[in-house]
Amino acid sequence: MSGIHSAGEAVARIAYLCSNVVLSVQPSLGVDSEFSGHLHALRERQTLSFVTRNSPEIESIQQNVDPLLSAFHPIRSGKTVSITTSSSTLLPSIPHLYKLAQYPVVIHVSLHPLSAPDFSEITAIRQSGFIFIQSETLQEALDIAISAHALSRKLGKGVIHFFDSTNSEDDDSIAFEDQKLVRELLHTDVTQVNQSEDASDAFLYVGEGRISMIVDDALPTINATPDQKEVTSRLDASFSNIANQGESSVGSSGRRSSADSRPTLSPATTVNSGITRPVDSEDIHNALTGIWARIEAATGRNYNIFEYTGPANAESALFVFGSTGVFVDEIESAEPNSEFSKVGLITARLYRPWVSTILSESIPRSIKRIAVLEQIKRKTTKWGPVLLDVLTSLKSGPSASGAPLIVGHQLGYIEPATARQALRGIFQNLRSPIPIQNLEVGSPNSSDETSSKYTLEQPKLETAYIKILNQIFGERLYLANRLNAADAGISATVSSSPEYGFGSLLARIEHRLKFVDEVQTAAKTRNFATDSPQTWLSRWALKANDPKEVHVAAQEAIARLNTDGSRLATHLLSSKSLFFRESQWLIGSDAWAYDLGNSGVHHVIASGANVNMLIIDSKPYSEKVAADDTRRKKDVGLYAMNFGNAYVASVAVYSSYTQVLEAMIEADRFEGPSVVLAYLPYATEDDSPLTVLHETKKAVDLGYWPLYRWHPFNEDSGLPNFQLDSERIKKELEEFLNRDNHLSQLMKRHPKFSPNLSESYGSEVRALQKRNAKDAYNKMLEGLRGSPLTILFASDNGNAESLANRLGNRGKARGLKTIVLAMDDFPIEDLPGEENVILITSTAGQGEFPQNGHAFWNVIKEVVDLDLSNVKFSVFALGDSHYWPRKEDRIYYNKSGKDLFSRFSSLGAKHLADIGLGDDQDPDGYQTGYNEWEPKIWQSLEVGQVQGLPEEPPPFTNEDIKIQSNYLRGTIAEGLEDRSTGAIAASDQQLTKFHGTYMQDDRDLRDERKAQGLEPAYSFMIRCRLNSGVATPSQWLQMDSVSSHFGNDTMKMTTRQTFQFHGVVKGKLKPAMRAINKALMTTIAACGDVNRNIMCSTLPTKSAFHHDVHQISAKISDHLLPSTTAYHEIWLKDDEDKQTQIGGNALVDSEPLYGPTYLPRKFKITIAVPPHNDTDVYAHDVGLIAIQDSNSRLEGFNVLVGGGMGVTHNNKKTYPRTGSMMGYVSASNIHIACEKIMLVQRDNGDRKNRKHARLKYTIDDMGVDVFKSKVQDLLGYKFEDPRAFEFTSNIDTFGWQKDENAMNHFTFFIENGRVEDTVDFPMKTGLREIAKIHKGEFRLTGNQHLCLSGVHDDDLDHIKGIMKKYKLDNLSFSALRLSSSACVAFPTCGLAMAESERYLPTLILKLESTLEENGLRQDSIVMRMTGCPNGCARPWLAEVAFVGKAYGAYNMYLGGGYHGQRLNKLYRSSIQEDEILRIMKPLLKRYSLERQDGERFGDFVIRIGMIKPTIEGKTFHDDVVEDDMEEES
């Protein structure tokens, strides 16, 4: 009988006729789906597609190989794609759905399991951006399938058509589609517009910047070219007709579709007329009703957004999101006045976007009660999603007052014979006085397991590799995710998944570790019948993890246990297999190779676990497969090799059996994760071995599947890391190896150019580098005319270098042959041959040369035979006349430049111009002196009157870097791949701060490495973003691991309550970032011009209140987090991924809060809980003082603004500042208040002068009241009056404390926050051991200490035992030491002028004897030290502070408030240790004798007149003890 007999057939026909490519997703290649048989039948009959004029491609794909990934390649090639699949494919494909939704692709979904369809697969993806439409009957399946394709082509959006095929299995057959109608709806009379895209710029899982667009006259946005203008106009006419027929007066829903909520990044294409905008709900509604109007006109069949069936005067209704068949007959056949006579049935034809207003208009107003039935098995929320949709639609808006009662029900499987009984139960509940919500109707499962035919089976061909594993390892082999394993309570699908297998392996590994401990314990007991087992068990325990010796030891131990016969021996033998070291493997199918995001590969590799993976790739080679980069981009081998910690092999059993054996044996021996990629190409599971052999040989010979083995650590043993076992190599692998080996090969060919040669080359290498640099300049200048000008600079902070480069550019513009080099890079023997030399130097320390001028000066000052009589020269020096204010220190002002000028003069050089002196105290800083000096140079060189000089570009500032960075990308990714240097570009060094990392170098090694011809020992500091300083034990362990594997084996706990890692070399930077993120932590916005890590009081004695405040802290942090995807893209994505680029090769991103230039400067927020100001709440841009309510829970915050610590020495325009009180804000609104404060700073902060860019200057410039009013304008309300509060301390309380829940907390003293192991104090190891058993939290404090939080009484003794073992319970330190804090400074901080962290403990030690003598050991005095005036340790609030001025010299400040409420003031400048001790020792004695009761040290020095109080930041530099230096006589 002709016609269509099933919904699967109807949908397959329409998908075939309306597509270029149909992806047929099947349970396996040997098992048909309900669509695939019909598709192949159409293909065999050579039926033509309506859109291609020929037969479409049918691609069969297994459902477990990430099938939706195959849609991208044909879509981007401009082909119309449809997909037929069961609902089981949807959830694993969520990463693809969000992208596919913006393409004209149609996915036809048959809901499974067939016996009892689960609609939760649909609700789970409802926010993916697709349009969702539903059919119920056979005829509807045909018509709605046609509608889906027409709608997708019209709007350029993805459509999911879903249906329950069992709902219509009893329907009569229907006629074939009306081909004329289908063609008309598809507009196939118009040439198809090419929608091809450049796939090379696209990559997976990240939004590509594409969004479906429409022109207001209803035209879909197309890639219009001049040749397509006629096509455009014809489309315009056709679409306008349909749109007019489908116009509706109903507006779009207040609740938009997920597509509507996606940000409009950029139109992917343009047309020449109309206003292009994203497709919205109203467009979808209008287009769909227009299509249905055309279907009704042609067939008489009517379709609506919401379908209502029943009487017009119905009083009750069922809203069914599920199988309706069981209810329709009962309701439609109801007799008048029967129990169901006034009952209606409602279904959603258009499920997404959900158009709320139409629902209320689609049902009779007489309906008073609605039962919502949701056929959802996987319920994840209390209220079903459809119930919430219905409630939102009918219980809000103008008609909400008269809305019907709505009661939710869970719809299970209902036998047709029990349908009436089920209906009675539903309406009985609906009409009861107090209906039961979420009442379950029917059985959760069907008695007929129709879907059993789709159970997983391993193809017979794949057993070849399993057999090899068995041959090699025998009883040692353990397959973690083997099929048909007897895992109680676990389905075969789950237990065979790699993810489950990996989890079971980790558990198994842990189980064996416990078994080893058990054996070790047993070996120490005397519970055996004989003495023999103890000896052999001890021997075995020593070799338990030795792969070579454990098996012999295991056999010996087992033999002794067998003969012993004791109960303990029997118990140990029950786990006999654990005596052996298993060869543990995971088996993966194609799904792993194609989709790392949905597999366990990333997790296994990232974990570093000693697990072997055999990944079988069954895709036969073809040009089409090779060209589909979406399938090959996720190459597991390259991914694993780039990761750097895994053994990798690529094998093919039908090409080299021996190589397979070698690879599997090597993988088993490798200590760490191993990946063996195994090729086994077949088109169907029934392919013959000969076919597989042919396919394998072709792939290997063409280089599509190279055979290789990669051992990342072989070179440590003098062996090559990479071994190629086949003739050819594919391009991607070749590029990886070229990139990996390029530097080492270059070093072998040209050792004299290597920046990382061995130290044996010494000064000879350095001389070669200088000579080559100079020769390269000379060669470049050979063709130029004009006088030569050599400019040499010495610079630490970049100012002198910038001046030198600018002078060089100006010289070139005047026709001079200009060379610009660092002094140390210039061969001094060439100096006598130079004609004109300019030397520009800054001043470091006590008149010293910057580091890149040290060597130059050391030679110049000692040389006696250097004749410079033919050289003309001048010097410009940069310094600060107030940097050394004392009379005896005046000689240090610009000393380096003055020394150079004097020495060149003594060597006979002639003056081009007198020395120029730049002074930071001048109105324009050093520019004042420079602008007077430079014209003299040009006049001496006779180029002062040159006309027509080009206009100089403005200086390239941080603002330029940010705006040109494309939302913080810059060239960071490219720089990370550059193995020729350990550094990154200067602009990227600014951008990486936003990502949480600074480039640094080991300043202890600078001189030595330069002498050896090496570049500085570059490394990176990584700072985590750790909200409120709270970490879990597992996070602590991961951070410990990061420091050991990627850093310098220490952790720094910072004054911003987070972890900081130092010594991370560039090659380990990305793995370190990944390891941090693996611990569910991040580093984004830990630095940079954004809101940084938010601090919060540790508060160990009030856990409930700490929880309240911590939650708010997290809310603020998340709210102010940057939105750029650059972080994820650069650090976390696979290196083979490529972001889609559009419009001028620019990635599209957005920053709703920050904008493309982010903030003018850093922005810091902290929370303090009175009476503890342990976070220095006054020192931050925003300080929040938590206010408790009567129940000791959080009520709100007093808000301080404008605090900040950064200062520049002797620059009185810069100063620290304490926060100004704004008022009170409730806890629920505080994140918005913080946002508005930040936005005012964003829009008003100084972006021209970074030293004047912090919020403190913005507030002082505009005034507190004006600033406050601007914030209140944005808030829309005024701050309330501040609540009363009192601070009593800003230090930590050490030792054990109990909270209100009887939980114990211990605060450790971690001096200056450095967690490390030393010979005397194995702190890091001890904390690691505690983390392994701790069940609470680790809370980092704002004073760089650590609180072990939430220790139960039952665990207290165990914890105390570990603390005692590792000396962690030692608190016998002076109160001065306990109250001290220091920044990192040397050797890694590039800004440090003096030591800090490494010196402060020594200084305190030299003061502690004085403390003891004067009875002050237990008296807290807040002392802080920093290596520079930027204020990381917040020194300006300390009672006594030392701020680095030069190496070994510090400025001393006194008078800060003990509670952190008052700034200190300068007492002495540039003093060294001997003077510090001469001041401090008598002062401490005087304090002990003269202080008043309870008087703090900071208050004392003010009272006795040693220092004047600093009332506000602007008076910080006023009334200092040392007057400004006198005028030179």
Side-chain angles (χ1 to χ4, degrees), residues 20 137 144 195 256 301 334 363 578 641 746 1031 1243 1294 1481 1509:
N20 299 106
T137 68
I144 299 304
Q195 302 174 21
R256 314 282 279 188
R301 295 188 291 272
I363 61 176
L578 296 178
M641 285 191 285
L746 185 65
D1243 296 337
F1294 298 95
K1481 287 184 176 182

Side-chain angles (χ1 to χ4, degrees), residues 199-380:
S200 64
D201 289 339
F203 71 108
L204 304 179
Y205 308 129
V206 174
E208 300 176 328
R210 177 188 173 94
I211 192 165
S212 300
M213 309 293 289
I214 195 170
V215 178
D216 270 339
D217 59 4
L219 263 173
T221 302
I222 59 176
N223 294 314
T225 65
D227 295 335
Q228 296 169 329
K229 297 293 181 67
E230 182 180 352
V231 173
T232 303
S233 62
R234 294 172 66 188
L235 281 170
D236 188 14
S238 300
F239 284 10
S240 295
N241 290 337
I242 290 184
N244 291 336
Q245 292 181 20
E247 284 181 358
S248 170
S249 61
V250 179
S252 60
S253 170
R255 177 177 169 183
R256 314 282 279 188
S257 72
S258 61
D260 301 328
S261 62
R262 290 170 66 91
T264 304
L265 300 178
S266 173
T269 50
T270 60
V271 292
N272 293 327
S273 62
I275 299 175
T276 303
R277 58 175 175 75
V279 173
D280 62 19
S281 301
E282 189 170 358
D283 298 322
I284 295 168
H285 167 258
N286 291 340
L288 189 55
T289 53
I291 291 167
W292 286 340
R294 185 62 62 88
I295 292 175
E296 183 178 13
T299 68
R301 295 188 291 272
N302 174 263
Y303 296 104
N304 299 289
I305 301 298
F306 292 99
E307 301 285 1
Y308 172 76
T309 302
N313 62 343
E315 297 175 354
S316 302
L318 300 180
F319 190 111
V320 182
F321 190 72
S323 304
T324 59
V326 292
F327 301 124
V328 170
D329 291 342
E330 291 292 339
I331 292 176
E332 289 188 345
S333 62
E335 297 292 335
N337 301 319
S338 65
E339 58 184 325
F340 304 135
S341 62
K342 291 189 178 183
V343 170
L345 182 67
I346 312 167
T347 57
R349 182 77 62 216
L350 174 65
Y351 175 54
R352 279 295 183 275
W354 182 275
V355 190
S356 298
T357 53
I358 295 181
L359 175 58
S360 61
E361 297 174 2
S362 301
I363 61 176
R365 296 188 179 277
S366 57
I367 292 179
K368 302 302 180 185
R369 296 172 183 266
I370 298 177
V372 178
L373 277 61
E374 298 178 75
Q375 195 164 316
I376 295 174
K377 290 184 179 180
R378 300 175 183 173
K379 185 181 177 184
T380 58

